[in-house]
Amino acid sequence: GLFRGSPWDLDVSGGFASPLAAELISGADLVVAWGCSLGMWTTRHGSLIRKGATVAQVDIEPDAIGSHRRVHAGVAGDVTQVAEAVSRLLGPAADDELAGYRSEALREQLTREIRWRDVPYEDDGDEQHIDARTLTIALDDMLPEERLVAVDSGNFMGYPSMFLSVPDHEGFCFTQAYQSIGLGLASAIGAAIARPGRLAVAALGDGGALMGISELETAVRLGLPLVVVVHDHEDRKSTRLNSSHITI
């Protein structure tokens, strides 16, 4: 959601990148990392940066530059100030300079294909289960746009991360920096308190939901509007989940 509204927004890079986003990122001859580490998750173990591409990194912490991969140019500084300085040096681009990626054909393709929900798939649901993709797309249509999505850790976490949209970068709460299961519900409750004008959505796995289930009392006691979706995977490879979900 960081560049929501821009026609050139590719959304997320890495394991959650859509097929079109991954194709465009891996085809770039120049990659500039603004305040991001270029770690294994955001580069798909380096495969999203093609061989021969020039890589530049901007970070306020000098030690972060090149910590995960070799870069050709590193700038230690605040990303906003560096971006503004680069913009002044480059100046406004003329119409005939807008070549490369920013073509009208690509703009139209991004409108049609950049979202995961626009990628065709074979529904894996049956009479007792609903495909996680089908459920999440339906939720994306049903829930208000002004939302906060908090995602727990586990095998399921790609579905809410890839198929639920958020209005901006403040609408996505991701606990994976801790690599711990069970923080999703508490994160959603905290987000709901911090932004009372948005509907909080807690996307949990069955294990993480059980680990933090006592926090349901907190949500009820505080009277928080909260949607809790519990994904119940049958096995590691399954794309199906139990259809039960709780609304408070």
Side-chain angles (χ1 to χ4, degrees), residues 226-238:
L226 182 67
V227 173
V228 181
V229 184
V230 181
H231 301 68
D232 181 16
H233 278 270
E234 293 183 329
D235 56 63
R236 184 174 179 86
K237 295 182 179 179
S238 175

Side-chain angles (χ1 to χ4, degrees), residues 142-192:
M142 294 168 59
L143 298 173
E145 291 186 8
E146 286 297 309
R147 67 184 70 157
L148 299 159
V149 177
V151 183
D152 209 323
S153 188
N155 294 332
F156 76 96
M157 67 188 193
Y159 301 115
S161 300
M162 296 188 295
F163 289 90
L164 279 181
S165 60
V166 291
D168 52 38
H169 63 287
E170 295 180 346
F172 191 57
C173 300
F174 205 53
T175 64
Q176 273 58 45
Y178 297 102
Q179 295 288 296
S180 297
I181 296 173
L183 302 177
L185 182 55
S187 298
I189 290 172

Side-chain angles (χ1 to χ4, degrees), residues 48-104:
L48 286 185
I49 300 178
R50 78 177 190 184
K51 186 178 181 179
T54 299
V55 181
Q57 188 175 3
V58 182
D59 202 289
I60 199 169
E61 298 289 345
D63 291 342
I65 298 174
S67 60
H68 288 280
R69 61 161 294 125
R70 184 177 67 87
V71 298
H72 300 87
V75 179
D78 177 83
V79 294
T80 300
Q81 295 178 2
V82 175
E84 290 174 345
V86 171
S87 181
R88 287 193 297 269
L89 288 171
L90 293 176
D95 290 341
D96 58 357
E97 294 177 335
L98 293 178
Y101 277 158
R102 296 200 172 188
S103 66
E104 189 59 36

